[in-house]
Amino acid sequence: MLSLSSTASKFTSKSHLSPKPTMVKPDPPLDIWKSPRYLNETFDVRVDPEQITDFVNDIEALGLKANHWITDVQKLIDEISTGRDRRATFSIGAFNDHASINAYLDSLASANPHVTVHTMGNSYEGRAIKYVKISNNLGVNKKAIYADGGIHAREWLAVTTVLYFIDQIANNPSRDRTIDALLGKFDFYFAPVVNPDGYEYSRSHDRMWRKNRRPVISGCHGVDLNRNFAYHWNPDNGGSRNPCEEVHAGTHATSEIETKHLQNFLCSHSNLIAYLNVHTYGQYWIYPWGYTPILPADYRDLDHLGRSAATAIRHTHGRTFTVGEDTRVLYAAAGGADDYAKGACGVKYSYTVELRDTGLHGFVAPTSYIIPAGEETFAGFKAFATELVHYEHL
Ligand SMILES: [Zn+2]
């Protein structure tokens, strides 16, 4: 594990502060965890310990307030690592390695007649990007819902949550009739780890890794896959042309093999009606566009169904998820998977879902979050899919 000891802090934005604090240029670049959209909103940033004093002085000289939110990110990582199951046996309640996850998908498919396992293609380093299809194999021309996790390597809770969905729908452990009803209406596709190289690197070397692992220039690896999709791709809109930055958008759209596989998947399944691109953190259920604040013509439909999900989530463990357009609720970012699914492939109900929490643990979700995050998000998913049946008269 690289030395990551650093402080995650919250700052309050002011009118003269751009969302990215470009007035402070430490080396390496700042790791922005969460950007503000509105006046007096906070932003979260991870700062290396040797830079924290200068950084806070600069921030306070601008009249902004800084709070240390996570005093030592490495300490938090170490505490959580201690609780990690290192035996590489798969569990729905654990942060599993990629090989164990793929083995689980294979075993599920061989044991369950409703599940088949497929591969989108291989990652840059040769790992299979697998997905499952769950179908009761009855009916023709059913609409399909697809969800994926782990496009950002460090967002482990997105991976566990998609696995939770798979377990619930394939095994239905609580004999939930809603799941049977939904299987009568939809086929489901789930890909728990769409950036497996980054995910494994995040497990073995750098817990805070975000991008894929392709060497771009000497000393700097990786492209932010969620800035690399070929719909209004623009590195100057929420991304970066600098390969050393966390949000490097690539040298051109679809420069990355993982992006290519995902794009092919999304556009080749013409029955897809809904897509959830699952991330952490911030508690948002948001929809396109990410590249522009102009709302899609059918935004009321997306908003309505997003609110169904958020209500069910709140009723599960009390957490509030914000619903709205990507750019208005979170920040502008071109080249995202949700924009591509809707804009290029016509997947009408396309969302980015940012799971819990709102900054207490940030990207370093503890093991104790895995099951409750699965429960609340799956409650949202069921409510969303059920309302989709009614709303679209499926
Ligand atoms: Zn993310």
Side-chain angles (χ1 to χ4, degrees):
M1 185 81 70
L2 296 177
S3 172
L4 281 168
S5 191
S6 53
T7 303
S9 305
K10 274 195 189 296
F11 301 96
T12 305
S13 62
K14 289 278 163 55
S15 58
H16 57 279
L17 179 68
S18 68
K20 295 199 172 185
T22 48
M23 77 295 286
V24 186
K25 287 200 174 73
D27 184 33
L30 285 174
D31 182 14
I32 308 285
W33 281 17
K34 185 166 164 284
S35 300
R37 283 302 304 155
Y38 302 108
L39 197 62
N40 293 324
E41 254 200 347
T42 60
F43 68 93
D44 300 351
V45 59
R46 180 171 62 97
V47 185
D48 286 339
E50 59 270 23
Q51 294 166 340
I52 188 72
T53 306
D54 287 348
F55 183 79
V56 170
N57 286 344
D58 287 348
I59 285 285
E60 289 181 345
L62 291 166
L64 309 182
K65 279 191 209 151
N67 292 316
H68 291 199
W69 200 251
I70 301 171
T71 308
D72 188 336
V73 174
Q74 184 62 53
K75 190 156 167 261
L76 193 59
I77 291 168
D78 291 344
E79 284 166 10
I80 289 160
S81 300
T82 316
R84 200 193 308 164
D85 187 346
R86 293 177 178 279
R87 291 168 301 166
T89 51
F90 180 87
S91 164
I92 288 292
F95 294 117
N96 305 281
D97 65 49
H98 181 247
S100 304
I101 291 168
N102 274 359
Y104 165 74
L105 300 181
D106 290 341
S107 67
L108 191 66
S110 60
N112 189 319
H114 292 166
V115 181
T116 51
V117 65
H118 311 265
T119 300
M120 284 184 196
N122 285 353
S123 65
Y124 175 79
E125 292 178 348
R127 294 183 176 87
I129 302 172
K130 294 198 176 194
Y131 65 94
V132 290
K133 177 184 180 185
I134 309 177
S135 171
N136 68 5
N137 303 312
L138 299 171
V140 288
N141 299 325
K142 273 193 287 191
K143 296 293 184 188
I145 301 177
Y146 167 60
D148 58 33
I151 195 168
H152 287 144
R154 63 192 173 191
E155 299 170 6
W156 295 1
L157 204 62
V159 173
T160 62
T161 297
V162 173
L163 286 165
Y164 188 91
F165 284 18
I166 293 171
D167 176 55
Q168 289 292 311
I169 296 179
N171 298 323
N172 197 356
S174 53
R175 299 279 159 259
D176 181 346
R177 287 186 181 178
T178 305
I179 293 172
D180 295 333
L182 291 175
L183 276 166
K185 296 291 183 183
F186 298 107
D187 290 341
F188 295 94
Y189 294 91
F190 298 109
V193 192
V194 293
N195 173 16
D197 299 347
Y199 181 67
E200 280 304 299
Y201 191 77
S202 162
R203 292 178 57 85
S204 61
H205 288 79
D206 180 352
R207 177 66 185 85
M208 286 299 108
W209 192 256
R210 170 183 173 95
K211 303 184 283 182
N212 73 350
R213 285 296 302 162
R214 187 174 66 82
V216 181
I217 58 166
S218 176
C220 289
H221 285 64
V223 168
D224 183 342
L225 299 178
N226 208 35
R227 301 288 184 278
N228 191 233
F229 282 74
Y231 188 74
H232 291 272
W233 178 84
N234 179 0
D236 299 325
N237 183 4
S240 169
R241 294 176 186 273
N242 178 355
C244 303
E245 293 231 25
E246 294 284 2
V247 290
H248 176 47
T251 49
H252 54 276
T254 329
S255 59
E256 304 312 297
I257 188 72
E258 296 87 357
T259 313
K260 189 173 168 226
H261 295 324
L262 254 173
Q263 288 186 176
N264 287 344
F265 176 87
L266 287 164
C267 279
S268 65
H269 290 77
S270 56
N271 60 336
L272 283 182
I273 189 171
Y275 171 40
L276 307 184
N277 185 233
V278 185
H279 295 250
T280 71
Y281 63 98
Q283 300 179 188
Y284 301 103
W285 195 292
I286 53 181
Y287 47 83
W289 305 110
Y291 80 92
T292 173
I294 296 169
L295 291 160
D298 60 353
Y299 81 93
R300 286 185 186 83
D301 301 337
L302 282 93
D303 199 85
H304 172 75
L305 287 177
R307 287 180 197 286
S308 298
T311 301
I313 290 172
R314 193 171 63 250
H315 289 159
T316 306
H317 294 299
R319 289 192 177 258
T320 300
F321 276 53
T322 302
V323 179
E325 192 208 26
D326 293 344
T327 300
R328 296 180 180 211
V329 171
L330 207 49
Y331 45 77
D338 60 348
D339 276 12
Y340 184 86
K342 184 168 181 62
C345 311
V347 181
K348 177 179 166 86
Y349 294 96
S350 176
Y351 297 87
T352 291
V353 178
E354 298 276 0
L355 303 177
R356 60 163 67 191
D357 54 22
T358 54
L360 181 63
H361 291 87
F363 293 116
V364 195
T367 308
S368 62
Y369 272 13
I370 295 174
I371 297 300
E375 288 168 346
E376 68 196 3
T377 316
F378 189 62
F381 181 79
K382 281 192 298 180
F384 165 80
T386 302
E387 182 59 16
L388 181 56
V389 172
H390 298 141
Y391 198 71
E392 290 283 338
H393 309 290
L394 300 177

